Amino acid sequence: MSGSAGDQRPGREALVGKGPGRRKRRRRGRGERAMVPDATFTSYYGKPIINAPVWRPLDIAGYFFLGGLAGAGSVLAAGAQLTGRPRTARALKISSAVAISGSLAALVHDLGRPARFLNMLRVIKPTSPMSLGSWLLTAYGPAAGAAAALDLTGLFPRLGRVATAGAATLGPAVAAYTAVLAADTAVPAWHEAYRELPFVFVGSAAAAASGMALVAAPARENAPARGAAVFGAALEVAAAKLMEHRLGVIGETYRKGRAGRLMRAATALSAAGAAGAALLGGRSRTAAVLGGAALLTASACTRFGVFDAGMRSAEDPKYTVVPQRHRLEADVG
């Protein structure tokens, strides 16, 4: 409904075209030059442009963390079994079975009722990370559970080795697919991070699983876990820093507020845990446990930090519009 200028209320207009005083010269037609101000784009009344996911932080960030711990733990468990480290292998098989159970419970709790998870198994949709992830969990969960149960009971050792190998084969995908799932959304801090986010999650998962091995296994068996701790921590921190730099303005969501505090804590704990494990973990059981606990905490901080950054980027229209404007200007230029 239109009205006179006197009927308009101040501060209610869309803020389009009210940019800074700097002006650009742009050609129009044959030799014509126009002075056009830079436009500052925002949404009406500052409302979000996209709908933020309705995911609960504890459920979904916990689902990310526990799934990574489970998948990477199965890989380390198979390696420990092959290299004659039975206590490490058993500890990691048990932790993977417990972690994937917790991850599934968190997912179902966020969905609201188990039937919604079962509905996702009615079809296989190759283009849907959620569909493939549901089938992946359905295959991995029983393998991880069987590997742990048969190791504890000593029954059917050959079948136990098959289950261990199966869980280890699926483990890397379980550790990484949640990054693909997040990047497949419209949430700017996740979608634009599609290149680095899988490496962040895989490094975080490797650090968490090696941390669990350091906590639960004897020091004389933890040499591979110490190496995995250094690798996982280095990959996680390097990929996260590269991601923040490449994202430009969206990278602010990983540096500011609660997400920034969590990501900085993850970096510090990863460095301390990996260093402690590498230097002292082989000689001191206490150092191994402390280093492992630091790595587990760092991995959890990373997952919760990534989750919070995504939510902040969905709530602020700037992180949706400004990158689109930059891409448009690059295409025009």
Side-chain angles (χ1 to χ4, degrees), residues 19-238:
R22 183 174 61 86
R23 297 171 180 264
K24 288 185 180 179
R25 291 184 179 272
R26 296 178 182 169
R27 291 185 180 274
R28 288 185 178 179
R30 193 179 300 172
E32 182 181 354
R33 293 178 181 272
M35 303 296 288
V36 181
D38 286 343
T40 299
F41 297 95
T42 185
S43 64
Y44 285 100
Y45 314 131
K47 295 293 185 181
I49 292 176
I50 64 172
N51 292 323
V54 294
W55 297 340
R56 300 181 182 95
L58 187 59
D59 286 340
I60 299 304
Y63 159 64
F64 289 170
F65 167 68
L66 292 172
L69 172 61
S74 291
V75 176
L76 292 183
Q81 182 170 293
L82 288 173
T83 56
R85 293 175 169 85
R87 293 181 62 181
T88 300
R90 175 172 293 182
L92 288 171
K93 289 176 189 179
I94 294 171
S95 72
S96 290
V98 172
I100 199 61
S101 299
S103 181
L104 283 168
L107 176 59
V108 170
H109 184 264
D110 188 78
L111 291 172
R113 58 179 185 268
R116 289 178 175 171
F117 179 80
L118 297 176
N119 287 339
M120 292 188 287
L121 302 177
R122 291 183 300 175
V123 296
I124 299 178
K125 189 176 180 182
T127 58
S128 169
M130 179 61 78
S131 175
L132 293 180
S134 300
W135 281 100
L136 177 63
L137 293 178
T138 301
Y140 171 81
L150 295 175
D151 192 296
L152 283 170
T153 61
L155 299 173
F156 309 111
R158 183 173 298 178
L159 182 59
R161 290 192 292 271
V162 171
T164 299
T169 301
L170 297 173
V174 173
Y177 97 92
T178 48
V180 179
L181 176 65
D184 193 53
T185 67
V187 175
W190 299 339
H191 182 75
E192 298 298 329
Y194 70 94
R195 296 178 186 173
E196 298 88 5
L197 200 57
F199 293 98
V200 174
F201 274 30
V202 168
S204 176
S210 60
M212 179 61 70
L214 290 168
V215 169
R220 65 178 179 274
E221 290 187 8
N222 70 13
R226 287 184 279 121
V230 174
F231 168 77
L235 178 60
E236 176 186 359
V237 172

Side-chain angles (χ1 to χ4, degrees), residues 279-301:
L279 298 175
L280 301 173
R283 300 192 297 271
S284 169
R285 172 71 177 150
T286 300
V289 171
L290 291 175
L295 291 166
L296 283 164
T297 307
S299 180
C301 286

